[in-house]
Amino acid sequence: MIQYEALADSIRALEPSAGSTRLICIDGRAGSGKTTCALALQELLPQSSIIHMDDLYHGWTEDLDDSLATRILEQIISPMLVGESSKYQRFNWFLNDFDDWVEISPSAIVILEGVASSHPLIRQHASLSVWIEIDPELGAQRVLARDGEISENHIENW
């Protein structure tokens, strides 16, 4: 069980890792509770912003590899390093394409949550990387309960 208060206290004590920002990566298998963790932390750390990896993937077809991490570095982390706003294009799962742009103003804490958020190219700029473990079958059940049957074939490949 995650002790959110203690985790938030630890985050407050961290040094910035991306310019003046503490980048916190919350990673783990699908259905492990990464978003729940990020939202609980944001409640305790009101100066924080959350970026969901689900908004950054290029649908179900993109590998969780260096190309995804490089796009995150270019659009989100590089501007942080120099104290500028980050801007990324959000993936629209219904259109199966990227559409609107999202701007993240410089913030004391940015929480990047989702599968592959702790990719080595990203993690090198993080103040903290958190891994949430779950049994893969339980995680898949949670995803299917949350997203419905439409994701059943995809989650098996994921």
Side-chain angles (χ1 to χ4, degrees):
M1 173 79 106
I2 297 173
Q3 301 298 318
Y4 295 117
E5 291 277 353
L7 183 54
D9 287 343
S10 296
I11 291 169
R12 285 185 198 97
L14 293 171
E15 293 294 321
S17 56
S20 60
T21 299
R22 292 178 205 90
L23 177 63
I24 309 302
C25 300
I26 301 176
D27 204 338
R29 294 181 181 276
S32 63
K34 299 173 298 297
T35 302
T36 299
C37 179
L39 293 171
L41 288 173
Q42 187 177 46
E43 183 90 12
L44 296 167
L45 303 164
Q47 71 277 25
S48 63
S49 300
I50 297 176
I51 301 172
H52 302 282
M53 291 291 291
D54 286 348
D55 292 341
L56 303 174
Y57 307 130
H58 194 181
W60 291 106
T61 59
E62 181 177 43
D63 290 331
L64 306 177
D65 61 8
D66 290 355
S67 64
L68 171 62
T70 299
R71 186 162 33 87
I72 292 168
L73 284 171
E74 290 172 357
Q75 293 181 353
I76 298 170
I77 296 174
S78 291
M80 280 182 199
L81 293 173
V82 295
E84 295 177 357
S85 294
S86 299
K87 190 175 179 182
Y88 63 90
Q89 199 168 14
R90 183 184 350 231
F91 189 78
N92 183 319
W93 290 85
F94 295 105
L95 298 176
N96 197 38
D97 201 1
F98 290 98
D99 63 7
D100 62 323
W101 285 88
V102 177
E103 187 170 338
I104 300 291
S105 298
S107 176
I109 300 169
V110 172
I111 301 168
L112 179 63
E113 72 82 19
V115 174
S117 64
S118 291
H119 184 286
L121 293 175
I122 299 167
R123 190 174 55 238
Q124 68 182 335
H125 297 286
S127 293
L128 178 67
S129 179
V130 176
W131 177 266
I132 302 177
E133 188 61 45
I134 191 170
D135 175 84
E137 288 183 28
L138 177 57
Q141 290 171 6
R142 286 180 174 180
V143 170
L144 292 175
R146 180 189 68 208
D147 299 341
E149 291 181 18
I150 194 166
S151 64
E152 188 168 7
N153 291 333
H154 297 294
I155 197 64
E156 289 178 20
N157 293 328
W158 189 262

